[in-house]
Amino acid sequence: MKRINWGFIGCGEVTEKKSGPAFSEVEGSSVVAVMSRSDQKARRYAESHHIEKWYTDAQELIDDPDVNAIYIATPPSSHATFAIMAMKAGKPVYVEKPLAAHYEDCARINKISADTGVPCFVAYYRRYLPYFQRIKEFIDNGVIGKVINVQVRFAVPAPDLDYQSTNLPWRLQPDIAGGGFFYDLAPHQLDLLQHYFGVILEADGICANRGGLYQAEDSVSACFRFESGLPGSGSWCFVAHDSAREDRVEVIGDKGQISFSVFTYEPIRLNTEQGSQLIEVPNPPYVQFPLIKAVIEHLQGIGICQCTSVSATPVNWAMDRILGKI
């Protein structure tokens, strides 16, 4: 595939701020069609981004002969359906995270990808950002020695939309999202940790709803063990007071410690015997650009992208274990 002509299924906020423009900035790639269930939304998006075609039916977009790759930017409950439709049509897929709303759906996606030979990539774009690659360099080069423990701490106040009990965001509807905000945000943290330390083979958790704003969990505590034997833990609270706001991962080694944020990109803090350093690493304007470039080059046969559905599936397994879904 020398020329990648993308069709978007879904044209929401993520395509505006994180991914959409990046598809047209890579040589040999362009967006030729978009789909939304709302004709008005699809038409408006296409016109504002100078995209030739728009659809309200996903199958029609997939069957378009001018489209040879599919980007799925819908809520997780529909990821498996659209990914399988595209792969059965012989068209590679790039799907937003998490890969699906359930671990079992991830397995279905992987089976179809294996049966058809059509690749499926997942938007765990932080693996490819310079900020997180610098952290991996520190870990791999032994800057903090042998890693002996990993801790995730995340706390944010509830946004105003969470108080609208009769009109909750889809991210708080487990049948659509797979869970609450944990299922939406923790995937990035867990994927990064597995990228750094290998697959999580054991995971357990305690979940609660402490705020009473919705039915999904709003507080989660978890412990897990990586394939190397490295232990880790995490705590997530989505109804915290603003003074308790926190976005931190700590990697503790026998010769130092690395602290970093996953969502706010605060300067990396490196503590070793030589002292403490704050390291700033800028990211590109469209944060998905490096990963999208890797996906396109993979499809063009000039590179290899490791961010596949198979590599993404352990994230869903760990989350489902923590939430008690499996």
Side-chain angles (χ1 to χ4, degrees):
M1 297 174 67
K2 298 303 179 185
R3 183 78 196 175
I4 315 300
N5 295 325
W6 292 93
F8 286 8
I9 299 179
C11 48
E13 183 180 10
V14 68
T15 67
E16 294 280 6
K17 296 184 177 181
K18 295 181 179 181
S19 61
F23 286 91
S24 299
E25 291 190 8
V26 181
E27 186 176 354
S29 172
S30 60
V31 183
V32 300
V34 295
M35 173 266 167
S36 172
R37 289 179 299 175
S38 165
D39 179 78
Q40 182 180 11
K41 186 175 182 180
R43 180 190 299 268
R44 184 170 61 246
Y45 189 95
E47 290 176 348
S48 65
H49 294 279
H50 309 290
I51 296 168
E52 182 179 353
K53 303 178 185 180
W54 64 87
Y55 295 94
T56 57
D57 182 273
Q59 189 66 63
E60 290 183 7
L61 178 139
I62 291 170
D63 291 340
D64 187 326
D66 292 332
V67 172
N68 62 6
I70 305 296
Y71 172 38
I72 300 171
T74 59
S77 61
S78 59
H79 286 182
T81 298
F82 292 142
I84 289 170
M85 287 166 58
M87 289 186 291
K88 284 187 173 181
K91 300 187 179 183
V93 176
Y94 178 68
V95 59
E96 273 301 325
K97 62 81 214 164
L99 175 56
H102 304 277
Y103 168 69
E104 290 84 358
D105 280 347
C106 298
R108 291 174 55 222
I109 291 171
N110 291 333
K111 183 180 187 307
I112 297 300
S113 181
D115 289 348
T116 61
V118 178
C120 177
F121 305 95
V122 185
Y124 284 122
Y125 59 86
R126 282 174 168 81
R127 295 189 204 178
Y128 283 77
L129 286 178
Y131 179 95
F132 299 105
Q133 289 184 331
R134 178 69 65 84
I135 294 163
K136 193 173 192 305
E137 290 173 6
F138 290 145
I139 294 168
D140 292 348
N141 293 335
V143 173
I144 60 170
K146 179 182 178 181
V147 177
I148 54 179
N149 195 269
V150 180
Q151 300 172 6
V152 179
R153 296 199 300 276
F154 187 80
V156 289
D160 292 341
L161 287 175
D162 294 5
Y163 291 88
Q164 301 178 19
S165 59
T166 59
N167 187 29
L168 287 171
W170 64 260
R171 289 177 173 85
L172 294 175
Q173 301 178 45
D175 58 328
I176 298 175
F181 281 126
F182 175 80
Y183 222 83
D184 183 52
L185 298 177
H188 278 303
Q189 297 158 320
L190 294 173
D191 179 74
L192 274 174
L193 294 183
Q194 294 192 86
H195 181 56
Y196 292 157
F197 305 116
V199 173
I200 292 173
L201 297 183
E202 299 176 52
D204 204 351
I206 297 174
C207 310
N209 184 299
R210 303 295 292 169
L213 300 178
Y214 41 80
Q215 294 298 312
E217 73 288 337
D218 60 24
S219 295
V220 177
S221 293
C223 58
F224 35 87
R225 187 187 302 273
F226 298 88
E227 57 186 327
S228 65
L230 173 69
S233 63
S235 66
W236 294 262
C237 180
F238 304 100
V239 288
H241 188 269
D242 191 62
S243 63
R245 189 185 292 269
E246 188 170 22
D247 172 15
R248 181 180 296 272
V249 176
E250 292 188 353
V251 180
I252 302 167
D254 59 6
K255 295 182 180 178
Q257 176 180 327
I258 302 171
S259 298
F260 61 95
S261 63
V262 174
F263 300 100
T264 56
Y265 309 115
E266 297 296 322
I268 302 163
R269 181 177 292 276
L270 176 63
N271 296 325
T272 63
E273 293 177 351
Q274 285 71 45
S276 180
Q277 302 177 56
L278 287 177
I279 302 160
E280 295 191 23
V281 182
N283 287 319
Y286 297 110
V287 290
Q288 290 201 28
F289 177 82
L291 174 54
I292 290 170
K293 183 174 184 289
V295 168
I296 291 167
E297 291 179 348
H298 184 118
L299 297 177
Q300 292 173 332
I302 57 176
I304 298 293
C305 178
Q306 301 289 348
C307 206
T308 64
S309 60
V310 172
S311 75
T313 295
V315 175
N316 279 78
W317 181 87
M319 290 195 299
D320 284 4
R321 288 284 299 169
I322 290 168
L323 294 181
K325 294 169 64 175
I326 56 175

